[in-house]
Amino acid sequence: MAEYEDKLLDHDYDGIHELDNNLPRWWLYLFYFTIVWGVVYMLYYHVFDIGYSQVDQYRQEMDPNYVRVGSAEHRFLGVLPEYHSPYYSVRPEVTPARLLAMSGRPARPVMMTAATDTITYVRLTDEPDLKAGNEIFVKNCAQCHGDQGQGGIGPNLTDKYWIHGTDYGTIVRSVKYGYPAKGMIPWLGTLSEEQAMKVASFVYTLRGTNPPNPKPPQGDLIAE
C-alpha cells in the first residue's frame, strides 16, 4: 500500500480514492500522432492549398471538367495565401440576376402593362394550339363569355362589335392584363404568356360563328 501513497490524490468519493497514474504510452503516442497529423492536414489543405478540399471534390463530381483556379491575391512571404472560407470561389457567384444577364435578358424583370406592352404577337393557327386555347377558354372564360363565346356577364365575342378592338395583339393584352374596372380580371398571374396566346388565338376564331342566344352588341362596329 505504501507504494501507492505518493500517487494518492487528496480526495475521495464514497470511499473511492483516485491515483495520479501516468497515462499508457500507446495512448500518449496516439495523441501526439493526431496533433502532428492535424498540423500536416491544415498545412496541406488550408495553408498551401495543395490538396483538393471536400468542396473541390464535390464540384468535380458535379462537373468532371472542373479544375480549381489558383487564387491571385497577395501571399504573405510569397507562400501563405489570404485566408478564405472553404466555400470561397474565385469564380463569380451564380445568382438569379447573373443567370438572367448570361441569358441576355434584363437583370430586373420589367413590369409591363397593357399600355407599355409593345410585343408583336403572332397568332397561333395550328390545330393543337387552338384546341389547347379552347380548353383554357372553357375552363376560365366560359362562365363570363359563354361556352361558345355568345356572351353572358361579359360581352359577346362572336359578333362584329368589340369594346377594346379585335386585332390579335389587343386580344392577347386583354387576356393578360384584363380590365379590372369593368370586371375582367388580369390572367397574367394565372396563365403563362403562351397560354394567353393560345386562348387569344381561339377567341380570334369565334368571330362570325353565330352561336344561339347571343348577347346584344356592345362597343364599336369593327370594319371588315
Side-chain angles (χ1 to χ4, degrees):
M1 187 66 182
E3 60 181 305
Y4 296 108
E5 290 181 355
D6 57 340
K7 299 180 180 180
L8 190 64
L9 299 179
D10 190 22
H11 69 273
D12 67 84
Y13 179 79
D14 197 20
I16 300 175
H17 297 269
E18 182 180 357
L19 297 179
D20 185 17
N21 290 322
N22 293 327
L23 293 171
R25 288 188 177 182
W26 68 265
W27 192 95
L28 288 174
Y29 293 154
L30 180 62
F31 179 64
Y32 297 149
F33 175 77
T34 59
I35 295 176
V36 174
W37 177 268
V39 172
V40 172
Y41 182 94
M42 183 182 67
L43 293 174
Y44 186 80
Y45 286 102
H46 300 296
V47 176
F48 298 109
D49 289 333
I50 300 173
Y52 270 23
S53 65
Q54 290 182 342
V55 175
D56 293 318
Q57 293 175 13
Y58 169 77
R59 289 171 177 165
Q60 277 189 318
E61 290 183 6
M62 295 297 101
D63 179 10
N65 297 320
Y66 169 80
V67 177
R68 185 177 61 190
V69 180
S71 178
E73 77 277 0
H74 175 72
R75 289 173 175 263
F76 178 70
L77 299 179
V79 177
L80 301 180
E82 180 182 352
Y83 174 77
H84 291 293
S85 163
Y87 298 98
Y88 169 79
S89 174
V90 295
R91 297 180 177 181
E93 182 181 3
V94 180
T95 62
R98 179 169 175 79
L99 287 175
L100 286 172
M102 292 169 63
S103 66
R105 298 169 60 187
R108 294 181 179 274
V110 178
M111 301 303 294
M112 290 190 297
T113 64
T116 60
D117 187 343
T118 58
I119 299 174
T120 300
Y121 297 98
V122 179
R123 184 164 62 92
L124 307 176
T125 57
D126 292 341
E127 189 62 28
D129 292 330
L130 295 178
K131 182 179 179 180
N134 185 11
E135 294 174 354
I136 297 171
F137 181 88
V138 171
K139 180 179 179 181
N140 300 287
C141 312
Q143 58 267 38
C144 291
H145 294 284
D147 57 351
Q148 299 180 54
Q150 71 273 21
I153 300 174
N156 184 353
L157 301 176
T158 65
D159 60 18
K160 298 179 181 180
Y161 291 83
W162 284 67
I163 300 175
H164 302 290
T166 186
D167 64 277
Y168 177 67
T170 299
I171 299 174
V172 175
R173 294 181 187 92
S174 297
V175 174
K176 290 174 63 175
Y177 306 106
Y179 298 96
K182 298 181 179 181
M184 176 159 177
I185 64 172
W187 289 95
L188 185 60
T190 305
L191 302 177
S192 67
E193 187 163 299
E194 182 181 5
Q195 289 175 318
M197 292 178 63
K198 289 179 179 179
V199 70
S201 297
F202 172 75
V203 168
Y204 192 92
T205 66
L206 293 177
R207 191 174 12 160
T209 54
N210 299 316
N213 303 316
K215 187 176 182 179
Q218 295 175 280
D220 299 324
L221 177 64
I222 302 299
E224 295 293 340

